[in-house]
């Protein structure tokens, strides 16, 4: 396993130029087992906002400030990298998407990549951001351009509909694609999904509940793509372990859940009337919607002492933890200890909190830098069965392109939510 720690030092704010190239390095020590830090451990000169930026390790340089490019090895090569064994990662994100929210997500992800480069990079690694605009045809065209410029790995795209064309371009030169979709249908065929999949959260929280005696589960959630994904994962995990899915109820994503809550309440009461075990009730909602759905269970006569309320990482939100109905509720999430330094450093530098995908982008970039340093920036390196330890915790890519993760479990209590079981730090021997 290779350690990708959030070794983010106190950097002064770098400029974030979405149309620019990020130039940095990949000088790192070879990984060891047991896991070690991939950082160089060497002091670094930090960029200072407002000062002229030159082609130094860790700098973010606008196109107009770049030295002339060479083509020593047939790929995009800044003059200061000439003669080096340059490794290149293309970043395909929708920087000019029509939606302001999507543009903000792309910017936050690129900022996460910047942080990984500033911490882990040296002088022979080139990052090439390219704008997909969120369109499949544009994403495929950008991937083709990246391959022509010598990309060894592609980070992105964001949307599942754009992944197929990008991985087809990558496959023509056997270039791995690490995309950020959470749609499992986009995985495989040379594409690996860096997002935390709902399936991984379901497996983790159901496993924890089962270890505490819960073997019967029900689903109460939205009739949405996400909701269906969570429910299908519950059924698969129950079947795999010999547990029971007693019932599922889907309410319209844009209307009330009263009828469905009554249905599930009836099932739950019938189940615990003939068994001493607590029933697991999954509600994959967030925010005010969760606060309106969860109380419908006690309203319909469910004894909350006889159930275990379960959620996804949507529940990792302090604004919902004061709801009495949710006290004792369990959900899976990245270990907060791994995220703390990343979040603090990101907020200090950029003046805002990182998005969830910013952390995923940091881990993807850190993995690419490490693989380039060890000469394993290829499919076999990405699918290393020992995995990687990043700010989102332990992860490894399966051959089908999905990621297995060492998530933590948190429980909601009177003073907030606390970790009741930490994520694993090492995968068992063999594949996932």
């Amino acid at each position: 396993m290779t350690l990708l720690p959030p070794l983010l030092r106190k950097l002064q704010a770098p400029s974030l130029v979405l149309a620019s190239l990020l130039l940095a390095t990949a000088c790192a020590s070879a990984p060891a087992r047991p896991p070690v830090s991939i950082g160089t451990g060497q002091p670094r000169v930090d960029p200072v906002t407002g000062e002229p930026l030159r082609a130094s390790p860790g700098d973010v340089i606008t196109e107009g400030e770049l030295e002339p490019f060479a083509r020593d090895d047939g790929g995009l090569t800044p003059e200061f990298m000439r003669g080096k064994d340059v490794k290149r990662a293309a970043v395909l994100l929708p920087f000019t998407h029509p939606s302001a929210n999507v543009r903000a997500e792309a910017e936050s992800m690129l900022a996460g990549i910047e942080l990984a480069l500033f911490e882990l990079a040296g002088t022979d690694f080139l990052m090439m951001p390219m704008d997909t605009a969120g369109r499949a045809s544009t994403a495929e065209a950008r991937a083709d351009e990246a391959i022509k410029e010598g990309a060894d790995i592609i980070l992105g795209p964001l949307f599942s509909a754009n992944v197929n064309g990008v991985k087809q371009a990558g496959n023509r030169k056997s270039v791995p694609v690490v995309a950020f979709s959470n749609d499992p249908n986009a995985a495989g065929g040379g594409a690996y999904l860096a997002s935390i999949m709902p399936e991984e959260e379901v497996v983790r929280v159901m496993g924890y509940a089962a270890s505490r005696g819960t073997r019967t589960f029900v689903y109460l959630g939205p009739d949405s793509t996400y909701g269906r994904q969570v429910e299908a994962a519950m059924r698969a995990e129950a079947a795999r372990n010999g547990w029971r899915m007693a019932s599922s109820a889907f309410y319209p994503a844009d209307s009330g859940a009263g009828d469905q809550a009554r249905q599930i309440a009836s099932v739950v009461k019938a189940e615990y009337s003939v068994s001493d075990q607590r029933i697991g009730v999954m509600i994959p909602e967030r925010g005010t919607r969760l606060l309106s759905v969860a109380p419908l269970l006690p309203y319909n006569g469910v004894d909350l002492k006889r159930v275990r309320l379960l959620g996804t990482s949507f529940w990792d939100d302090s604004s919902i933890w004061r709801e009495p109905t949710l006290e004792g509720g369990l959900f899976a999430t990245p270990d907060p200890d791994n995220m703390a330094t990343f979040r603090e450093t990101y907020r200090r530098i950029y003046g805002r909190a990182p998005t969830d995908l910013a952390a995923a982008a940091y881990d993807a970039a850190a993995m690419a830098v490490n693989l380039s340093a060890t000469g394993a920036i290829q499919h076999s390196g990405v699918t290393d069965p020992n995995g990687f330890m990043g700010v989102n915790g332990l992860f490894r890519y399966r051959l089908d392109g999905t990621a297995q993760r060492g998530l933590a479990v948190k429980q909601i209590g009177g003073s907030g939510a606390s970790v009741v079981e930490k994520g694993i730090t090492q995968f068992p021997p063999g594949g996932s």
Side-chain angles (χ1 to χ4, degrees):
M1 175 171 49
T2 302
L3 187 65
L4 306 183
L7 302 175
L8 301 173
R9 300 174 305 100
K10 294 183 178 179
L11 302 175
Q12 295 179 342
S15 61
L16 182 61
V17 184
L18 297 181
S20 71
L21 295 175
L22 305 183
L23 303 182
T25 80
C27 178
S29 45
R33 309 186 195 284
V36 296
S37 168
I38 65 170
T40 63
Q42 300 299 317
R44 186 183 301 279
V45 177
D46 296 338
V48 179
T49 302
E51 290 186 1
L53 293 174
R54 307 306 305 161
S56 324
D59 281 354
V60 181
I61 305 173
T62 65
E63 187 172 2
E65 295 169 324
L66 291 173
E67 300 291 338
F69 284 93
R71 285 293 191 279
D72 281 358
D73 58 0
L76 187 68
T77 308
E79 187 65 30
F80 82 98
M81 289 184 174
R82 193 166 185 168
K84 297 181 181 292
D85 181 17
V86 179
K87 299 299 181 182
R88 303 171 181 86
V91 178
L92 273 59
L93 291 173
F95 299 121
T96 60
H97 192 276
S99 166
N101 289 337
V102 173
R103 294 195 302 272
E105 182 70 68
E107 181 177 339
S108 186
M109 292 171 72
L110 185 56
I113 290 169
E114 277 190 314
L115 294 186
L117 296 180
F118 286 133
E119 180 50 44
L120 304 173
T123 56
D124 57 357
F125 191 89
L126 179 65
M127 192 69 71
M128 305 184 296
M130 296 182 173
D131 179 28
T132 68
R135 295 189 293 267
S137 59
T138 304
E140 185 172 3
R142 296 295 86 79
D144 281 329
E145 292 173 12
I147 299 300
K148 291 176 183 177
E149 296 294 358
D152 297 284
I153 190 169
I154 295 174
L155 308 181
L158 176 59
F159 300 119
S160 60
N162 297 352
V163 174
N164 188 57
V166 172
K167 71 183 178 185
Q168 286 183 17
N171 284 338
R172 288 192 276 273
K173 292 291 186 179
S174 195
V175 172
V177 173
V178 180
F180 298 101
S181 167
N182 66 356
D183 179 359
N185 295 315
Y192 310 91
L193 302 187
S195 299
I196 299 178
M197 308 292 286
E199 289 82 357
E200 288 296 305
E201 297 175 1
V202 167
V203 167
R204 183 68 171 102
V205 75
M206 286 181 72
Y208 180 85
S211 73
R212 267 65 182 170
T214 295
R215 303 288 196 281
T216 300
F217 299 88
V218 300
Y219 170 92
L220 173 63
D223 189 2
S224 63
T225 300
Y226 180 81
R228 293 281 176 180
Q229 196 172 344
V230 168
E231 196 270 350
M234 291 183 69
R235 290 194 175 276
E237 189 64 9
R240 184 162 39 246
N241 291 281
W243 307 330
R244 193 159 75 89
M245 275 292 290
S247 184
S248 298
F250 296 88
Y251 50 79
D254 58 354
S255 65
D259 292 343
Q260 293 77 16
R262 281 190 292 273
Q263 173 191 331
I264 289 299
S266 296
V267 171
V268 168
K269 289 184 287 186
E271 289 292 333
Y272 66 58
S273 68
V274 298
S275 172
D276 291 335
Q277 77 169 223
R278 297 173 71 178
I279 312 303
V281 182
M282 171 68 76
I283 309 177
E285 276 288 9
R286 71 166 87 210
T288 56
R289 186 69 163 162
L290 174 62
L291 297 180
S292 68
V293 173
L296 294 175
L297 293 175
Y299 178 80
N300 284 284
V302 171
D303 181 357
L304 294 178
K305 295 179 181 178
R306 305 295 303 277
V307 303
R308 294 186 192 276
L309 293 183
L310 309 177
T312 64
S313 57
F314 282 174
W315 287 24
D316 201 5
D317 173 8
S318 60
S319 70
I320 58 97
W321 294 342
R322 293 182 180 274
E323 167 56 46
T325 304
L326 297 177
E327 185 166 354
L330 302 167
F331 60 94
T333 188
D335 194 311
D337 290 344
N338 294 325
M339 288 288 292
T341 302
F342 172 75
R343 284 175 171 159
E344 291 169 5
T345 305
Y346 186 106
R347 183 182 290 277
R348 176 168 43 77
I349 291 176
Y350 295 104
R352 60 187 184 275
T355 64
D356 291 340
L357 286 178
Y362 176 99
D363 283 351
M367 182 187 71
V369 170
N370 173 255
L371 293 179
S372 73
T374 60
I377 193 166
Q378 53 198 354
H379 289 286
S380 60
V382 173
T383 57
D384 181 347
N386 293 288
F388 306 87
M389 180 64 82
V391 296
N392 269 327
L394 185 66
F395 68 98
R396 65 179 174 187
Y397 290 112
R398 303 180 178 98
L399 295 179
D400 68 2
T402 61
Q404 182 182 7
R405 292 187 175 272
L407 298 174
V409 176
K410 294 175 79 172
Q411 184 170 39
I412 298 173
S415 59
S418 58
V419 174
V420 291
E421 189 168 270
K422 295 180 68 65
I424 60 173
T425 57
Q426 187 169 352
F427 287 116
S432 58

